[in-house]
Amino acid sequence: NAGVTQTPKFQVLKTGQSMTLQCAQDMNHNSMYWYRQDPGMGLRLIYYSASEGTTDKGEVPNGYNVSRLNKREFSLRLESAAPSQTSVYFCASRYSTSTGELFFGEGSRLTVL
Amino acid sequence: DQQVKQNSPSLSVQEGRISILNCDYTNSMFDYFLWYKKYPAEGPTFLISISSIKDKNEDGRFTVFLNKSAKHLSLHIVPSQPGDSAVYFCAASEESGGGADGLTFGKGTHLIIQP
């Protein structure tokens, strides 16, 4: 059982470069989420997709875009990376659009120089 | 403004004793609360939850207590084991209001179990 799979696990970028973080879940979940974790800041919501075909901004959306490619996949794109986007990114999913626990991937560590 | 607060960045407990992790919230619309456990280089994993209609939920060594009037919840681990050493996140959501935007997390408490 793969659960939530994120790629890549590690990435180093230069300021201004772009990249896409990929996330896929095989649990037939409806809702998907992107969080970032920074030291002393906990987990902060970037974007979410409550159901296939919808996306919405979370707490810290600036500098990011997302695509809900299909029910399984939810990608996060950095168009012009900045050092402030150095972080660990977590993708999560859950079956319900409104209740229950989230299932997290293992994380993607991004460093922007 | 932080809606879920974990005021203790770290906590050290002796093996076999009780670990008590605390969490406060400010949003009175929150009605579902969860605890997650996170090991280094791994994603958070769900531990235990509680609905606002309850004041206690137990699962093995883990018990969560909810005090709605004080807007406070706590996680008790008895007895504490070395494998419990991890970062614990408190999380909350407003499910009666839709809850589509997932969970709001605290900053986490690093629990260290001393042998």
Side-chain angles (χ1 to χ4, degrees):
Chain A
N1 293 333
V4 179
T5 303
Q6 295 180 228
T7 56
K9 287 186 167 45
F10 301 94
Q11 184 72 49
V12 178
L13 290 177
K14 294 181 179 178
T15 297
Q17 287 185 318
S18 62
M19 77 157 298
T20 300
L21 298 175
Q22 307 284 355
C23 175
Q25 52 88 12
D26 62 1
M27 297 175 282
N28 196 36
H29 285 176
N30 291 295
S31 298
M32 299 186 73
Y33 304 81
W34 277 105
Y35 286 86
R36 60 179 286 176
Q37 184 193 10
D38 301 293
M41 297 296 292
L43 291 152
R44 293 182 294 170
L45 181 65
I46 305 171
Y47 268 94
Y48 66 99
S49 173
S51 59
E52 188 178 357
T54 70
T55 60
D56 285 283
K57 295 178 180 179
E59 180 186 357
V60 288
N62 291 346
Y64 305 95
N65 284 302
V66 290
S67 296
R68 183 75 182 266
L69 305 170
N70 48 55
K71 190 172 185 178
R72 290 185 64 247
E73 298 173 289
F74 188 39
S75 63
L76 178 72
R77 182 160 178 84
L78 287 70
E79 291 291 353
S80 179
S84 61
Q85 294 178 303
T86 293
S87 188
V88 181
Y89 292 85
F90 290 99
C91 179
S93 70
R94 68 180 178 187
Y95 182 77
S96 169
T97 58
S98 62
T99 186
E101 68 266 26
L102 300 182
F103 294 81
F104 284 84
E106 293 187 344
S108 298
R109 181 174 293 275
L110 175 66
T111 302
V112 183
L113 302 175
Chain B
D1 183 32
Q2 204 180 356
Q3 297 187 73
V4 178
K5 301 178 183 179
Q6 294 178 257
N7 292 321
S8 299
S10 66
L11 175 67
S12 183
V13 175
Q14 210 165 10
E15 183 179 354
R17 306 295 289 266
I18 183 171
S19 294
I20 300 175
L21 294 90
N22 293 303
C23 178
D24 298 294
Y25 61 96
T26 57
N27 186 345
S28 58
M29 300 302 291
F30 285 147
D31 52 12
Y32 186 62
F33 304 89
L34 308 88
W35 285 93
Y36 278 80
K37 178 178 182 179
K38 186 184 180 303
Y39 292 121
E42 294 184 9
T45 55
F46 169 72
L47 194 57
I48 192 169
S49 64
I50 187 167
S51 166
S52 60
I53 62 173
K54 295 186 176 182
D55 55 17
K56 176 183 174 181
N57 189 27
E58 197 170 349
D59 184 1
R61 296 185 299 114
F62 302 92
T63 303
V64 56
F65 295 92
L66 176 62
N67 182 333
K68 289 187 290 293
S69 61
K71 294 191 180 69
H72 176 82
L73 63 155
S74 61
L75 174 68
H76 292 211
I77 306 173
V78 183
S80 300
Q81 299 175 352
D84 297 329
S85 294
V87 176
Y88 289 79
F89 289 101
C90 174
S93 72
E94 188 185 327
E95 297 199 339
S96 58
D101 57 349
L103 306 175
T104 301
F105 286 85
K107 294 184 177 181
T109 296
H110 185 194
L111 176 64
I112 302 161
I113 305 301
Q114 305 279 6

